[in-house]
Amino acid sequence: MTDQFDPKSLRQWWPKPATSRPIVIFGAGSIVGDAHLPAYRKASFPVAGLYDPNGEKAKALADQWGIQAFASEAEALAVKGAIFDLATPPAAHATILAKLPRGSFALIQKPMGSDLAGATEILRVCRERDIKAAVNFQLRFAPMMLALYDAVEKGYLGEVVDFDAWLALATPWGLWPFLKGLPRIEIAMHSIHYLDFIRGLLGNPKGLHAKTIGHPNHEVAQTRTAAILDYGDKIRCVLSVNHDHDFGRKFQACEFRISGTKGAAYIKLGVNLDYPRGEPDELWIRPAGGSEWVEVKLEGAWFPDAFVNRMANLQRFASGEDETLVGSVEDAWQTMALVEAAYQSSAQPATPIAELPKV
């Protein structure tokens, strides 16, 4: 099979829709200016405008990108045939969804609610109002990940039997002051991406063991996580996440190792290293029958290109060009259930170790 392996043949982009619907954005936070708007401009997706309760903030961002800032929520909701992009805090999602026209199409910023109860309420609203919504777990759509999925589907790794996520880096939590005081941080805000990606690769696990903790050097609730996902006796799946390895770049890492029965893949998630400047993503594959690692030259990065691909799928689903809405609220709810199980596991006492017998 190695003679047939052409890294250039691996898929990195989602096909664009023949015609794009206008996008209405709710929210004017940093993620909109850093990822949503750059992605939509790159893909030539039309943005009708944005709305934020903070009118000055909305106008400043809209002026920066040359788009409209809606004067009211009602004006934003009145755009005909729109795809509504909810780049809003998780606690606000259900309220906004309940106001969307019935039968709308929407993209919901992750996480899908603050917890599983919040996710369940979002799912209920979407079902009740027939809203076709996807959650923005966009790591599945990063060029490196689309290529990895493609390589697995084409058999270049054989059957996947090992997944390792290893993060040892320094995340500048001070960039997000709103996190202070929140009870759930690391898994709910960060590793949730990895859990969703793993579900896309391996399906739903039977369960998991997890421990997530903070660090003495700051007040963020959790910044370090260890987790084992239980896929039975054939697949080993482990995450080791440490956002407090703040001792210089030399031995930091943010990488996945995916091993199969016939081949393997290595992924470097560059955006998290030297954040927010970041480093290039990398994908290497040692294909079935090969004796050397082959680099897959990436045509884009997680930010903002995963947002391009994520919206392309939603646009094509709305137009009927795609039969499946990847990461729909029905699917994303299961990622939220996995997150909930991780926090429940972390709160449980570990299996006690037997004491040494007394003589």
Side-chain angles (χ1 to χ4, degrees):
M1 182 172 287
T2 183
D3 295 335
Q4 305 170 11
F5 180 66
D6 178 7
K8 294 180 181 179
S9 71
L10 297 179
R11 176 188 192 185
Q12 296 192 35
W13 297 99
W14 205 270
K16 301 294 192 303
T19 303
S20 300
R21 293 189 177 212
I23 300 170
V24 172
I25 301 174
F26 282 82
S30 61
I31 192 65
V32 177
D34 293 343
H36 292 242
L37 289 172
Y40 302 158
R41 175 168 291 180
K42 183 173 183 176
S44 298
F45 293 144
V47 177
L50 61 84
Y51 171 76
D52 192 284
N54 185 331
E56 291 184 4
K57 186 177 181 181
K59 186 178 186 306
L61 184 59
D63 288 348
Q64 179 184 343
W65 286 88
I67 60 175
Q68 179 181 2
F70 295 112
S72 67
E73 184 179 65
E75 186 180 2
L77 291 169
V79 176
K80 300 296 184 183
I83 285 182
F84 296 97
D85 184 358
L86 277 59
T88 47
H93 294 340
T95 300
I96 297 172
L97 288 165
K99 298 176 183 178
L100 299 186
R102 290 186 177 275
S104 293
F105 294 88
L107 180 62
I108 305 168
Q109 180 62 25
K110 66 85 187 170
M112 184 182 170
S114 302
D115 51 26
L116 189 59
T120 302
E121 175 62 13
I122 288 169
L123 181 62
R124 183 194 67 78
V125 172
C126 288
R127 286 175 171 176
E128 182 180 284
R129 299 189 63 79
D130 191 30
I131 294 172
K132 307 299 190 300
V135 178
N136 204 2
F137 292 131
Q138 78 297 121
L139 181 58
R140 293 195 198 191
F141 289 90
M144 57 184 168
M145 299 312 188
L146 289 180
L148 183 278
Y149 283 138
D150 198 19
V152 171
E153 289 173 3
K154 291 177 177 175
Y156 291 126
L157 274 64
E159 184 180 358
V160 176
V161 292
D162 271 291
F163 181 96
D164 286 287
W166 181 36
L167 282 73
L169 43 80
T171 297
W173 297 105
L175 292 177
W176 306 284
F178 69 89
L179 295 177
K180 187 176 180 179
L182 293 182
R184 293 183 171 187
I185 303 295
E186 203 291 310
I187 298 174
M189 299 293 186
H190 187 90
S191 286
I192 190 171
H193 281 298
Y194 311 144
L195 295 176
D196 184 73
F197 167 78
I198 290 168
R199 285 191 54 248
L201 180 68
L202 301 175
N204 291 327
K206 298 178 179 179
L208 82 168
H209 310 277
K211 188 67 179 180
T212 185
I213 59 176
H215 193 279
N217 287 349
H218 51 70
E219 298 179 358
V220 180
Q222 306 98 26
T223 56
R224 296 176 290 164
T225 298
I228 300 172
L229 278 65
D230 183 0
Y231 283 96
D233 296 334
K234 185 176 289 186
I235 299 173
R236 185 186 67 93
C237 183
V238 179
L239 292 84
S240 177
V241 180
N242 178 8
H243 292 271
D244 294 289
H245 195 272
D246 195 8
F247 307 100
R249 174 66 184 86
K250 185 174 178 62
F251 292 114
Q252 290 180 345
C254 187
E255 54 196 34
F256 293 170
R257 287 178 172 83
I258 302 103
S259 301
T261 53
K262 298 179 180 179
Y266 168 88
I267 293 174
K268 171 185 167 184
L269 296 85
V271 69
N272 292 326
L273 297 164
D274 193 20
Y275 191 88
R277 184 169 60 181
E279 298 178 5
D281 296 329
E282 294 182 22
L283 171 61
W284 295 75
I285 293 177
R286 179 162 169 169
S291 59
E292 301 291 339
W293 285 89
V294 179
E295 183 176 9
V296 178
K297 296 295 184 182
L298 297 173
E299 301 169 9
W302 182 357
F303 284 66
D305 297 304
F307 292 75
V308 171
N309 291 326
R310 166 68 280 178
M311 178 55 72
N313 171 237
L314 179 53
Q315 289 272 2
R316 286 173 58 87
F317 182 77
S319 68
E321 295 169 272
D322 280 357
E323 294 184 3
T324 301
L325 180 59
V326 179
S328 69
V329 287
E330 304 283 339
D331 179 72
W333 187 92
Q334 297 178 74
T335 294
M336 295 298 296
L338 187 54
V339 168
E340 189 71 26
Y343 280 107
Q344 290 181 13
S345 175
S346 184
Q348 298 297 319
T351 302
I353 301 171
E355 296 182 5
L356 185 69
K358 295 181 180 179
V359 177

